[in-house]
Amino acid sequence: MLTLNTSDLSPVHLQNYLQYAIAPRPICFASTIDAEGNINLSPFSFFNMFSTNPPMCIFSPARRVRDNTTKHTLENVLVVKECVINIVDYSMVQQMSLASTEYGKGINEFEKAGFSMLESHLVKPPRVAEAPVQLECAVKEVIALGDQHGAGNLILAEIKLIHIKEEILDSEGKIDQQKIDLVARLGGDWYCRVTPESLFKVAKPLTTLGIGVDALPVSVRNSKVLTGNDLGMLGNIEQLPSAEEIDDIQWNAKVKDILDATIGDATNRERELHELAHQLLASGNVIDALKIVLL
């Protein structure tokens, strides 16, 4: 395993390793304005939601690694403490990238990138009309993390108004994760797109107490078939099935075929049962999978 001491790396090399490893990162497409009314639009991938009450986002316009200069976004919010965070979908990604070009102060990236300005309700900076979600924010604090090349500046932005395009909502008025078509930042020139095919669900153990992987038999924990994800799903079950429930699963047609075909062959029996459990886990049938591996 490659082990690196961060103090031995230049900012360029450190940035490269971290941006490839800490990914994907959501994109804050921030519109700001200066005291003279000049509008700026720029994307930042050092960004996330950090609080619901109060509703807070944090993004960080870092000092440029090459020459230690600061960005217009940072300079603007220090004077006019407002911004709009425009969420980026796939249909915007090329124009968004164009807006990251380092145009001179006073140049409007809305115009350069071909975006439409939409007047905000509470703050001075305009919204990106094409964005599926637009967050009008008050800048509460700016925290400088250093004064050297690559140092971040945390902008704490409190969300005051949320604008959502109706076409990305479901029948209950909530955002449909499959419709919003988000993109995220990776390392270098890489991005990723959140498509319906790439989405999956993981049950949250919020209301139940999973038995834990340590409650599974050693033969299951050390299985050569079951993956770490498989074990995590099994360990998330609230309680072990009863002996009667485990015994009943042997009459399942597929289980019975394995048991009949592997009489006197314990090694292959365990492997084939674990393979069947692996298939059931892939389809979401965790309960039956657990009964099978406990046979």
Side-chain angles (χ1 to χ4, degrees), residues 177-189:
Q177 198 68 81
Q178 298 190 64
K179 292 181 180 178
I180 191 170
D181 202 11
L182 295 171
V183 293
R185 196 74 171 83
L186 304 172
D189 292 337

Side-chain angles (χ1 to χ4, degrees), residues 1-288:
M1 195 169 199
L2 176 65
T3 301
L4 302 169
N5 189 323
T6 58
S7 62
D8 295 334
L9 299 174
S10 69
V12 171
H13 287 97
L14 184 56
Q15 176 177 265
N16 183 274
Y17 280 116
L18 293 178
Q19 289 189 354
Y20 274 83
I22 304 173
R25 299 182 303 280
I27 300 167
C28 167
F29 199 23
S31 50
T32 58
I33 194 168
D34 67 13
E36 288 73 44
N38 295 307
I39 293 167
N40 183 264
L41 180 65
S42 187
F44 302 93
S45 69
F46 294 176
F47 161 62
N48 220 309
M49 167 185 169
F50 283 80
S51 172
T52 302
N53 186 20
M56 298 288 294
C57 286
I58 297 178
F59 68 100
S60 177
R63 287 174 171 270
R64 294 183 179 89
V65 170
R66 68 173 183 276
D67 59 10
N68 200 27
T69 56
T70 57
K71 299 181 179 181
H72 297 139
T73 299
L74 174 62
E75 296 164 7
N76 288 353
V77 299
L78 289 171
V79 178
V80 179
K81 299 182 181 301
E82 297 174 343
C83 67
V84 178
I85 295 174
N86 304 278
I87 302 302
V88 179
D89 66 13
Y90 182 73
S91 70
M92 301 165 55
V93 67
Q94 295 291 345
Q95 289 172 277
M96 177 276 299
S97 179
L98 178 57
S100 70
T101 304
E102 294 180 7
Y103 295 111
K105 187 171 178 59
I107 299 297
N108 187 336
E109 287 84 0
F110 275 89
E111 297 173 356
K112 285 293 186 183
F115 284 116
S116 306
M117 290 190 292
L118 195 60
E119 186 176 355
S120 296
H121 295 190
L122 295 181
V123 300
K124 296 182 182 67
R127 296 175 277 148
V128 175
E130 291 79 2
V133 179
Q134 305 135 15
L135 311 175
E136 295 189 32
C137 302
V139 174
K140 308 304 290 184
E141 189 175 358
V142 179
I143 303 172
L145 300 181
D147 58 6
Q148 297 302 306
H149 301 240
N153 295 274
L154 302 185
I155 297 176
L156 280 63
E158 183 174 355
I159 302 166
K160 295 298 188 180
L161 277 182
I162 304 173
H163 305 276
I164 306 171
K165 289 191 174 181
E166 292 187 5
E167 54 262 38
I168 67 168
L169 300 177
D170 62 19
S171 59
E172 297 179 352
K174 298 177 181 178
I175 293 176
D176 187 328
Q177 198 68 81
Q178 298 190 64
K179 292 181 180 178
I180 191 170
D181 202 11
L182 295 171
V183 293
R185 196 74 171 83
L186 304 172
D189 292 337
W190 291 99
Y191 288 78
C192 63
R193 181 181 184 182
V194 183
T195 63
E197 295 76 22
S198 68
L199 289 168
F200 61 93
K201 290 185 177 182
V202 177
K204 289 185 178 180
L206 297 180
T207 58
T208 61
L209 190 64
I211 59 172
V213 173
D214 59 339
L216 301 172
V218 173
S219 61
V220 177
R221 300 201 303 267
N222 295 336
S223 172
K224 295 181 179 179
V225 175
L226 300 173
T227 67
N229 281 334
D230 291 336
L231 296 178
M233 293 172 72
L234 295 172
N236 197 31
I237 294 296
E238 193 171 1
Q239 62 183 19
L240 290 168
S242 66
E244 183 179 356
E245 290 173 317
I246 296 172
D247 189 56
D248 284 345
I249 198 68
Q250 69 181 307
W251 302 111
N252 173 284
K254 291 184 178 180
V255 175
K256 189 173 186 305
D257 285 346
I258 293 172
L259 296 177
D260 290 344
T262 57
I263 295 173
D265 187 354
T267 300
N268 279 325
R269 170 173 289 188
E270 179 179 280
R271 176 183 55 78
E272 291 186 27
L273 287 173
H274 285 195
E275 287 176 351
L276 177 57
H278 175 71
Q279 295 170 15
L280 292 173
L281 288 166
S283 64
N285 189 347
V286 184
I287 299 297
D288 281 351

